């Protein structure tokens, strides 16, 4: 099986595809607004596109792209027939040798770069498939995008499911100060020591000016629901769906994701006023304090 899969390495999955639209200012603006990125390099007469928008200029939409070859579909069918019927994206890598600017017309080629040996994971047993997309403007390489998936046969879980436990946040050297503040029932926001820009989530440096130095300010905890989703599926034993997850815009101007509480999930609306509330959850690892946002009584 592996020998058959290896035959697809180096085969083209798409050849000389053309981006549906040139690099353009409206799309750059929408992206920056959605990401909260105010870098001045992305606006004005000499604007460049954010590098991480690379894939946006290659998307084919529902109609797809001309230039696709049957190789990738054949590879997926071969894996399906072998019982590897599930797929999960695992990681991606991007390189940016050239900035993209409004008006640039992009073309791209995609190749099946590698197929791993059979691997066993917690999800099941299967193969990691890596594709590489080279994006060009004319003959210049503008970017490279590697995308890796695991195509696998789901494992049959016969062991007893573990006791339901609420997931704990990943605490690292960049965000430990935030979670230490939460334990003390304080909502701390990073503030750049160079330009004074507030930011969340916590980062090792400032997106606006690049300064690595920072201090913190304590948020009032007051905000509004900027956007939200209602989670129905997939179910998780530690939670009781349906429940609302909101993107909260704090009075200080930064946004934070957490649960919206205090009203039924189907009553959550954009613009509702909220205030932070710290909840403690106990499990075998001890107490876990998390910030949630309660709809302000009366104003709701």
């Amino acid at each position: 099986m592996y020998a058959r899969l290896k035959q697809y390495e180096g085969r083209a999955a798409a050849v000389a595809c053309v981006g549906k639209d040139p690099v353009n200012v409206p799309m750059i603006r929408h992206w920056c607004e959605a990401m909260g990125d105010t870098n001045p390099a992305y606006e004005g007469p000499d604007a460049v596109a954010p590098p991480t928008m690379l894939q946006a200029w290659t998307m084919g939409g529902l109609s797809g792209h001309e230039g696709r070859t049957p190789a990738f579909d054949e590879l997926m069918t071969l894996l399906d027939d072998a019982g590897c019927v599930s797929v999960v994206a695992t990681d991606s890598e991007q390189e940016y040798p050239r900035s993209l600017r409004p008006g640039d017309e992009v073309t791209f080629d995609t190749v099946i770069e590698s197929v791993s040996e059979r691997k066993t994971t917690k999800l099941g047993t299967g193969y990691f498939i890596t594709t590489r997309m080279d994006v060009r403007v004319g003959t210049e390489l503008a970017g490279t995008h590697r995308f890796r998936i695991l195509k696998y046969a789901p494992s049959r879980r016969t062991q007893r499911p573990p006791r339901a436990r609420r997931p704990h946040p990943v605490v690292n050297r960049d965000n430990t100060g935030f979670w230490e503040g939460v334990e003390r029932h304080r909502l701390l926001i990073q503030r750049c020591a160079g330009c004074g820009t507030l930011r969340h989530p916590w980062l090792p440096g400032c997106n606006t000016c690049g300064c690595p130095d920072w201090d913190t300010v304590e948020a009032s905890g007051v905000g509004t629901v900027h956007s939200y989703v209602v989670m129905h599926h997939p179910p998780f034993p530690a939670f009781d769906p349906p429940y609302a997850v909101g993107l909260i815009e704090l009075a200080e101007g930064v946004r934070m994701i957490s649960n919206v509480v205090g009203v039924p999930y189907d009553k959550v609306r954009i613009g509702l006023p909220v205030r932070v509330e710290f909840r403690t959850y106990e499990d075998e690892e001890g107490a876990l304090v998390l910030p949630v946002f309660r709809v302000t009584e009366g104003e709701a």
Side-chain angles (χ1 to χ4, degrees):
M1 179 63 181
Y2 180 54
R4 295 176 66 190
L5 296 174
K6 289 288 283 185
Q7 292 177 2
Y8 284 88
E9 285 190 347
R11 291 184 58 179
V15 178
C17 289
V18 179
K20 289 292 182 77
D21 298 287
V23 177
N24 62 85
V25 171
M27 185 63 77
I28 294 172
R29 184 178 70 252
H30 294 327
W31 175 282
C32 290
E33 288 179 356
M35 301 301 290
D37 194 336
T38 58
N39 192 318
Y42 306 145
E43 57 186 14
D46 298 319
V48 298
T52 49
M53 284 189 74
L54 181 67
Q55 192 181 12
W57 313 114
T58 67
M59 291 182 173
L62 297 178
S63 58
H65 279 293
E66 295 181 1
R68 288 190 57 183
T69 74
F72 190 77
D73 290 339
E74 290 175 4
L75 177 59
M76 294 297 103
T77 300
L78 183 59
L79 288 164
D80 285 340
D81 293 343
C84 298
V85 294
S86 296
V87 64
V88 62
T90 62
D91 62 281
S92 65
E93 303 169 14
Q94 291 188 347
E95 300 173 18
Y96 317 112
R98 177 198 187 278
S99 296
L100 290 173
R101 295 177 172 81
D104 283 344
E105 300 266 2
V106 303
T107 60
F108 58 94
D109 304 291
T110 305
V111 65
I112 301 168
E113 189 169 65
S114 65
V115 181
S116 76
E117 296 182 358
R118 192 171 182 88
K119 305 288 185 180
T120 299
T121 71
K122 287 185 177 181
L123 292 174
T125 301
Y127 302 86
F128 289 93
I129 312 296
T130 304
T131 55
R132 187 191 77 243
M133 177 187 293
D134 293 323
V135 181
R136 291 181 171 82
V137 177
T139 59
E140 280 189 278
L141 182 66
T144 299
H145 180 209
R146 285 180 173 85
F147 190 71
R148 189 172 294 110
I149 63 172
L150 172 64
K151 194 82 163 71
Y152 65 99
S155 60
R156 297 181 180 179
R157 298 183 180 178
T158 56
Q159 68 269 28
R160 194 173 172 185
R163 182 176 155 191
R165 170 183 169 277
R166 192 177 187 93
H168 284 230
V170 176
V171 180
N172 56 40
R173 64 182 182 180
D174 292 330
N175 66 13
T176 184
F178 173 78
W179 291 109
E180 288 173 352
V182 168
E183 287 184 1
R184 301 193 302 270
H185 291 200
R186 300 177 65 203
L187 201 60
L188 299 180
I189 302 172
Q190 274 186 315
R191 177 174 58 191
C192 175
C195 65
T197 299
L198 301 180
R199 64 178 184 259
H200 186 87
W202 284 34
L203 296 169
C206 180
N207 274 338
T208 301
C209 72
C211 178
D213 301 320
W214 52 271
D215 58 8
T216 62
V217 296
E218 184 172 359
S220 65
V222 174
T224 57
V225 176
H226 181 78
S227 184
Y228 70 95
V229 295
V230 175
M231 301 298 296
H232 294 270
H233 188 82
F236 191 84
F239 298 90
D240 185 21
Y243 54 91
V245 178
L247 177 61
I248 308 302
E249 182 156 323
L250 297 176
E252 291 75 14
V254 300
R255 296 172 185 169
M256 182 178 299
I257 296 175
S258 189
N259 291 98
V260 179
V261 301
V263 296
Y265 69 90
D266 57 350
K267 299 299 182 183
V268 176
R269 295 290 183 270
I270 291 173
L272 278 180
V274 294
R275 181 182 294 274
V276 72
E277 175 181 294
F278 295 93
R279 289 188 173 183
T280 301
Y281 301 89
E282 298 281 352
D283 61 24
E284 62 273 14
E285 295 188 19
L288 170 64
V289 182
L290 294 175
V292 299
F293 287 86
R294 177 171 292 278
V295 175
T296 307
E297 273 190 48
E299 294 178 337

